[in-house]
Amino acid sequence: MIRLRVDDESLNAVRLTFSPLWETIGSLGILARHRGEAPSPYTGWVRGVRAGMPRELTLGLVDALRCSDPPLFPPGFVPVPDPARNSFAAELEHLRRTRADVPGTARLAGLLEAYWDWAVAPYWTAIRSSLEEEILFRGRTLAVRGAEAMLGELGGRVLWERPRLTAPYHRDLDLPVTRSRLLLVPTVFAGGLRLFLTEPGTVAMSYQARATGHFHVLTARAPDREAEDRLALLLGKGRAQVVRTLESPKTTTAVAECLGLAKSTVSQHLAVLTDVGLVWRQRLGGRVFYQLDHGGHALLKQLGL
């Protein structure tokens, strides 16, 4: 178990970023942890990756990760993520350059590069979209309600009870976080292993991103049909459908694909819903994301949805 005692200065320096390298290592954890059938939402991914996976990747990475002596990734070997290095190539180049004096770095980096191409790169566009939606969602909570509210809603057995942040880990750690940046790294593959790193002035920890995008799992309860009908009467069938998809941030394209509607139709619905205060919009990079605003959540709660 990780137990972090976070002071006020560090609480004001909570940040979020994603890391293709951490995601890659997490995915190796899924393969190493589940020798047979992997649980949802990883079942299909594991089947596809294992089918025809080069033997050198299995032996050099998956099997090696299962062994703790020597560890595949020595303490301090994996770099702390940096938003300036948000591509796998940039992170791998940084690792090669800064860990060049560590025996076996060149071989391990080569295996990671080949594994990335085989197992993660084909899915990266969807994974990255999920992570960007996650950061947008958590970032809005951080900005509007503060760090404590955001930490308290992370889930995945990550618990916040001031001043302590606790999370499952393979060994016990009890550390003060004092006058430091607390960097939270959402990963789709956090179900494999949790990464936790420290360096001067920074403490970084991975956590499980919400089930969104490519790895979305349909776990919600069956909808109340009468309440659904009331929502459609209030908003119209099309706009009611859009509202129900926006519990997590999505782009216009993602909503259109989810509902099987034309993008132009979805754009019109989103414009109306934004104007009446049920939906908010925010630009992230070159894309615009939409999500239910307080008014939208209040409406669904009033209808029992």
Side-chain angles (χ1 to χ4, degrees), residues 22 36 151 209 216 256 265 270:
W22 280 38
L151 293 174
H216 178 65
T265 301
L270 288 170

Side-chain angles (χ1 to χ4, degrees), residues 26-93:
S27 73
L28 282 169
I30 294 290
L31 294 173
R33 183 176 181 179
H34 303 286
R35 296 175 183 266
E37 188 86 340
S40 176
Y42 308 111
T43 310
W45 175 83
V46 167
R47 287 174 184 165
V49 167
R50 280 183 176 153
M53 184 172 175
R55 181 172 173 77
E56 61 268 24
L57 299 183
T58 302
L59 294 175
L61 293 176
V62 180
D63 291 348
L65 187 60
R66 293 190 181 115
C67 301
S68 57
D69 188 19
L72 179 61
F73 302 105
F77 182 79
V78 179
V80 168
D82 185 336
R85 300 187 298 268
N86 63 1
S87 71
F88 181 79
E91 288 193 297
L92 195 62
E93 174 58 31

Side-chain angles (χ1 to χ4, degrees), residues 119-131:
V120 183
Y123 305 91
W124 180 243
T125 298
I127 292 173
R128 176 169 179 153
S129 177
S130 291
L131 298 177

Side-chain angles (χ1 to χ4, degrees), residues 45-210:
W45 175 83
V46 167
R47 287 174 184 165
V49 167
R50 280 183 176 153
M53 184 172 175
R55 181 172 173 77
E56 61 268 24
L57 299 183
T58 302
L59 294 175
L61 293 176
V62 180
D63 291 348
L65 187 60
R66 293 190 181 115
C67 301
S68 57
D69 188 19
L72 179 61
F73 302 105
F77 182 79
V78 179
V80 168
D82 185 336
R85 300 187 298 268
N86 63 1
S87 71
F88 181 79
E91 288 193 297
L92 195 62
E93 174 58 31
H94 177 76
L95 185 146
R96 283 178 165 133
R97 178 168 47 82
T98 59
R99 309 297 191 264
D101 59 336
V102 179
T105 293
R107 177 179 178 274
L108 180 54
L111 288 171
L112 286 171
E113 186 171 24
Y115 173 79
W116 162 268
D117 291 339
W118 177 267
V120 183
Y123 305 91
W124 180 243
T125 298
I127 292 173
R128 176 169 179 153
S129 177
S130 291
L131 298 177
E132 287 177 339
E133 291 176 7
E134 169 72 12
I135 289 173
L136 179 65
F137 178 80
R138 302 297 181 191
R140 183 170 187 260
T141 302
L142 181 63
V144 174
R145 298 168 55 204
E148 293 197 67
M150 190 268 287
L151 293 174
E153 295 176 355
L154 287 181
R157 297 171 64 196
V158 178
L159 301 176
W160 169 254
E161 185 174 343
R162 186 183 180 94
R164 193 179 297 271
L165 184 68
T166 61
Y169 198 51
H170 63 275
R171 60 192 180 95
D172 280 334
L173 293 175
D174 197 329
L175 300 171
V177 182
T178 306
R179 303 180 66 182
S180 298
R181 177 181 61 152
L182 178 57
L183 186 63
L184 299 174
V185 185
T187 68
V188 167
F189 290 107
L193 56 84
R194 186 182 307 282
L195 289 170
F196 177 80
L197 299 173
T198 62
E199 62 179 28
T202 300
V203 174
M205 183 181 77
S206 66
Y207 74 93
Q208 179 68 54
R210 296 170 310 132

